[in-house]
Amino acid sequence: MNAHVPKKTLADTLAHVERIIPSRSSNPGLSLLRIDTTEGGIELSGSNMDIDIRARFPADTQGEGSYALPAHVFSQVVRALPGDLVELEFGDKELDLSSGTFATKLQLMAPSSAPQLAFTDDLAGALDASALVKALGSVRYAAAVADYQAVFRGVKLELGATTTRAVATDGFRLAYYHLETGSGIEGDVVVPARSVDELTRILGEGEAQLGLSEGQLSVRSGGFDLNLKLMDGTFPDYERIIPKTFPVAVTIDAPKLSEAVARVALMADKTANNRVDLFVRDGVLQITAEGSYGRSQESLDVLQEGSDPEIALAYNAKYLIDALGPAAGDVRLSFSGGGPSSSPSVVADLGDPSYLAMVVPLRTG
Amino acid sequence: MNAHVPKKTLADTLAHVERIIPSRSSNPGLSLLRIDTTEGGIELSGSNMDIDIRARFPADTQGEGSYALPAHVFSQVVRALPGDLVELEFGDKELDLSSGTFATKLQLMAPSSAPQLAFTDDLAGALDASALVKALGSVRYAAAVADYQAVFRGVKLELGATTTRAVATDGFRLAYYHLETGSGIEGDVVVPARSVDELTRILGEGEAQLGLSEGQLSVRSGGFDLNLKLMDGTFPDYERIIPKTFPVAVTIDAPKLSEAVARVALMADKTANNRVDLFVRDGVLQITAEGSYGRSQESLDVLQEGSDPEIALAYNAKYLIDALGPAAGDVRLSFSGGGPSSSPSVVADLGDPSYLAMVVPLRTG
């Protein structure tokens, strides 16, 4: 089997597939890339057990065949090629690859050594890919990193008839992004956060087609097919813990607040929850932190609303900064209760009502 | 003591001083920054035992005083300041620092807790700073990284009456950069490679003043004073091992050769010296490598000279790539002998005759 393909096409496609395939694995087959050549095209596929990926691109091919070889060394070679065009000639045991002044013979493995993957064409749903990226990217930070119940390390996708929502929470903060559009398929699924990261990198322009089957979400977008393994377990009933009444609320530019919190928090004790204190009164938000190096404070003018004249709370600075991250302009920061037994605060992006974040203040009693 | 200073001046200066000061040390005083305020200026100083640094910059000051505080937290705060101007007010125990909407109180330590440093004004020598950077930066790669006799982990500066030369070697390769200008001071010194890295980062435009005293090279450049602790031990007599006759030599573009070697070397066995083989005949340089993944080869047209019709050698790919690094255009690669007991090869930069590198081929017998 022979193929001619532009280096850039091969390198760019391979970069996405290679990122999924583990460079080392206790199962050596998992580090293999499978290459299938068809009439007028090449397919590259691989898996990390949580994500299966297949990429298809057009190529000038002669003959059909299936091959496997170590993904990372192939990828390194392709990236380094000197020419604009790559010639591939697949033999029984070796791939002859040449480009410009360079030529290499790479050992081939039996295609049966690579993971056996199946990609479905039963993709009944669809969403705008960039809206899906925005939704997933806005909430992904709120997923737990480790040492938590599995379901907290994922992002929940609520696929409704006329709405789609991405939600993540680690129990201390929560974020959702709500789209007023259905995808054509319905169901609630939880995707591992690391798979969400890969999905958002791969999703391109236009539509992302979606399919739901037992334990798996399938996505097709821009030449890529993905199978995302879903997480088991029950996602918490989060709606009921989002507060609805707020004695104090302030409106402020999100990047400005975020930078001030980060600056003041440099004095905070990292081993004591990275605590920053907020105090609101008379249209001024004062941020303070104290630790062994000293103490810092910053006062920002805000638009203050609500029934109470003042409120005092403490936060983990990182959680507040994370919650503000997706907002590019003004946010409304609403406090449901302050003091030692303070209750959750809510961040609403005034420029994008789809986004909502909740942060649980630190107990200071 | 009060001072007003532009944030950018303070932050940029502090960045250089902070990089020297260790963030953690078994000697806690070593992680302190000393601040001295004088009439019309501020001095920042610190040390990592191998390098002492002092930076001076003009500032609107009132009163004189000496203070010390943890370098890294101060540096983080300064970088994050919201305003263009910083106000510093030094008290007995605290530094009040404010900028824009932000204010902080930082704990001060006794200046006697910080390293006691002495910087000399006895700087009898001088070199163009950018020439010194070029010389040191061109040879630094050839210094040994670890597990070698100390002197191999340094860069030798040969300060002659009418010449200045930087040399480094780890026994397997050597590089020198030769300036046809004296500095006004004479002597041979060996500077630790990590101190060379800091020096090249700090050296600015114009002249670098130099002073030599027992065990120490002092440098003044662009507002910075540095004391570089010198290494003991005898640097090898390298001149006699640089070959003078070459049965084969080739001329080729250095970046082109370097990229080809890197590309071919992707197949090389990393545990077997990262071996690439070079073969020259009929004006063609062929590079090959072989390992468990397969084998690669690349052929480049070269201008071939010398008495012998062909030569074959093997190299550690990294050593060859490093030696080519400082050259931007054509180099002459001269082979003093090939085969199993091959002798050193020499790289000369045709665009900059100041640079010369030597690489010892791998024994292949």
Side-chain angles (χ1 to χ4, degrees):
Chain A
M1 206 296 300
N2 300 325
H4 287 65
V5 53
K7 176 198 164 184
K8 187 170 161 33
T9 305
L10 181 58
D12 291 353
T13 310
L14 196 51
H16 284 301
V17 178
E18 184 214 4
R19 219 176 35 239
I20 306 287
I21 297 176
S23 53
R24 283 158 200 276
S25 170
S26 54
N27 169 4
L30 212 57
S31 65
L32 295 179
L33 171 77
R34 181 174 164 136
I35 304 179
D36 289 278
T37 56
T38 59
E39 197 59 39
I42 292 180
E43 293 180 3
L44 307 175
S45 57
S47 175
N48 68 3
M49 306 294 277
D50 277 333
I51 311 179
D52 304 335
I53 183 168
R54 181 180 65 186
R56 291 198 262 198
F57 58 91
D60 177 12
T61 59
Q62 288 186 335
E64 303 197 353
S66 295
Y67 316 93
L69 81 181
H72 292 274
V73 69
F74 181 59
S75 191
Q76 286 181 324
V77 167
V78 168
R79 266 199 302 275
L81 292 177
D84 292 332
L85 203 69
V86 187
E87 290 186 49
L88 303 166
E89 191 174 332
F90 290 90
D92 282 346
K93 300 198 166 170
E94 285 184 332
L95 162 62
D96 276 299
L97 182 155
S98 60
S99 176
T101 47
F102 174 84
T104 191
K105 284 179 189 291
L106 290 161
Q107 302 285 336
L108 290 173
M109 323 281 279
S112 59
S113 322
Q116 301 303 302
L117 308 175
F119 295 89
T120 180
D121 287 320
D122 182 13
L123 300 160
L127 276 173
D128 178 66
S130 60
L132 185 55
V133 168
K134 175 74 179 161
L136 295 170
S138 297
V139 307
R140 188 261 178 262
Y141 72 83
V145 286
D147 302 331
Y148 282 83
Q149 197 188 334
V151 80
F152 286 114
R153 301 197 304 266
V155 173
K156 185 185 184 195
L157 264 179
E158 299 175 1
L159 302 164
T162 59
T163 60
T164 305
R165 183 184 280 195
V167 198
T169 181
D170 63 6
F172 299 102
R173 68 288 197 37
L174 176 144
Y176 73 65
Y177 196 94
H178 185 91
L179 298 170
E180 287 290 346
T181 172
S183 60
I185 54 173
E186 293 183 44
D188 288 351
V189 299
V190 181
V191 180
R194 295 201 317 164
S195 299
V196 166
D197 294 338
E198 292 302 337
L199 176 61
T200 53
R201 284 198 186 109
I202 287 167
L203 283 174
E205 306 283 298
E207 281 216 326
Q209 290 176 264
L210 303 174
L212 210 50
S213 59
E214 193 59 46
Q216 179 172 299
L217 175 68
S218 297
V219 184
R220 176 174 292 172
S221 170
F224 292 92
D225 277 285
L226 298 164
N227 295 325
L228 308 176
K229 195 174 162 188
L230 301 174
M231 299 177 96
D232 293 327
T234 307
F235 205 81
D237 176 18
Y238 63 90
E239 284 277 16
R240 64 178 180 79
I241 56 167
I242 300 176
K244 302 284 180 279
T245 57
F246 306 100
V248 177
V250 301
T251 298
I252 183 170
D253 180 64
K256 191 172 169 182
L257 176 56
S258 179
E259 284 164 25
V261 170
R263 189 155 48 226
V264 171
L266 290 171
M267 287 300 113
D269 191 343
K270 304 294 174 289
T271 61
N273 289 319
N274 205 13
R275 171 178 171 169
V276 291
D277 283 83
L278 268 59
F279 179 64
V280 179
R281 187 167 60 188
D282 298 335
V284 175
L285 168 62
Q286 187 184 62
I287 311 159
T288 53
E290 187 164 3
S292 55
Y293 293 116
R295 53 193 186 284
S296 289
Q297 68 107 5
E298 186 152 355
S299 296
L300 300 173
D301 292 334
V302 294
L303 172 66
Q304 183 178 343
E305 298 165 276
S307 57
D308 286 9
E310 62 177 52
I311 198 162
L313 307 97
Y315 297 95
N316 181 324
K318 180 181 178 341
Y319 288 2
L320 204 51
I321 292 166
D322 282 348
L324 295 166
D330 277 355
V331 288
R332 180 176 293 117
L333 180 55
S334 302
F335 309 97
S336 70
S341 60
S342 50
S343 52
S345 306
V346 168
V347 175
D349 184 350
L350 300 185
D352 183 356
S354 299
Y355 176 68
L356 183 136
M358 190 184 80
V359 181
V360 180
L362 296 173
R363 291 186 179 277
T364 59
Chain B
M1 209 296 301
N2 299 326
H4 287 65
V5 52
K7 175 198 164 184
K8 186 169 163 36
T9 306
L10 181 58
D12 290 354
T13 310
L14 197 50
H16 284 301
V17 178
E18 185 214 2
R19 221 178 32 240
I20 306 287
I21 297 175
S23 54
R24 284 159 200 276
S25 169
S26 54
N27 168 4
L30 213 56
S31 65
L32 295 179
L33 171 77
R34 180 172 163 138
I35 304 180
D36 288 278
T37 56
T38 59
E39 196 59 39
I42 293 180
E43 292 180 3
L44 307 176
S45 57
S47 176
N48 68 4
M49 304 294 276
D50 277 333
I51 311 179
D52 305 335
I53 183 168
R54 181 180 66 187
R56 290 198 263 198
F57 57 91
D60 177 12
T61 59
Q62 289 187 333
E64 303 196 354
S66 296
Y67 315 93
L69 81 181
H72 291 275
V73 69
F74 180 59
S75 191
Q76 285 181 323
V77 167
V78 168
R79 266 200 302 274
L81 293 177
D84 292 333
L85 203 69
V86 187
E87 292 186 46
L88 304 166
E89 190 173 333
F90 291 90
D92 283 345
K93 300 198 166 169
E94 286 184 330
L95 162 63
D96 276 301
L97 183 156
S98 60
S99 176
T101 47
F102 174 84
T104 190
K105 284 178 190 291
L106 290 161
Q107 302 286 336
L108 290 173
M109 323 283 278
S112 58
S113 323
Q116 300 304 300
L117 308 175
F119 295 90
T120 181
D121 287 321
D122 183 12
L123 299 160
L127 277 173
D128 178 66
S130 60
L132 186 55
V133 168
K134 176 72 178 161
L136 295 170
S138 296
V139 306
R140 189 262 176 262
Y141 73 83
V145 286
D147 302 332
Y148 282 84
Q149 197 188 335
V151 79
F152 287 113
R153 302 198 303 266
V155 173
K156 185 186 183 196
L157 264 180
E158 299 174 0
L159 302 164
T162 59
T163 60
T164 304
R165 184 184 279 194
V167 198
T169 181
D170 64 4
F172 299 103
R173 67 283 196 45
L174 175 143
Y176 72 65
Y177 196 94
H178 186 90
L179 298 171
E180 287 289 346
T181 173
S183 61
I185 52 173
E186 293 182 44
D188 288 352
V189 299
V190 181
V191 180
R194 295 200 317 164
S195 299
V196 166
D197 294 339
E198 293 302 337
L199 176 61
T200 54
R201 284 199 186 109
I202 286 168
L203 283 174
E205 305 284 297
E207 280 216 325
Q209 291 177 263
L210 304 174
L212 210 50
S213 58
E214 193 57 47
Q216 179 173 296
L217 175 69
S218 297
V219 184
R220 177 174 292 171
S221 169
F224 292 92
D225 276 285
L226 298 164
N227 294 325
L228 308 176
K229 195 175 163 187
L230 301 175
M231 300 178 96
D232 294 327
T234 308
F235 205 80
D237 176 17
Y238 62 90
E239 285 276 16
R240 64 178 180 78
I241 57 166
I242 300 177
K244 302 285 179 278
T245 58
F246 306 100
V248 177
V250 301
T251 298
I252 184 171
D253 181 63
K256 191 173 168 182
L257 175 57
S258 180
E259 283 163 26
V261 170
R263 188 155 49 226
V264 171
L266 290 171
M267 287 299 114
D269 191 341
K270 305 294 174 289
T271 61
N273 288 317
N274 205 14
R275 172 178 170 167
V276 291
D277 283 83
L278 267 60
F279 179 64
V280 179
R281 187 168 60 187
D282 297 336
V284 175
L285 167 62
Q286 188 183 61
I287 311 158
T288 53
E290 187 164 3
S292 55
Y293 294 117
R295 55 193 184 284
S296 288
Q297 69 107 4
E298 185 152 357
S299 296
L300 300 173
D301 291 334
V302 293
L303 173 65
Q304 183 179 342
E305 298 164 275
S307 56
D308 285 10
E310 63 177 52
I311 198 163
L313 307 96
Y315 297 95
N316 180 323
K318 180 181 178 340
Y319 288 3
L320 204 50
I321 292 165
D322 282 347
L324 296 167
D330 277 356
V331 287
R332 179 177 293 116
L333 181 53
S334 303
F335 309 97
S336 69
S341 60
S342 50
S343 52
S345 306
V346 168
V347 175
D349 184 350
L350 300 186
D352 183 356
S354 300
Y355 175 69
L356 183 137
M358 189 184 82
V359 181
V360 179
L362 296 173
R363 291 185 179 279
T364 59

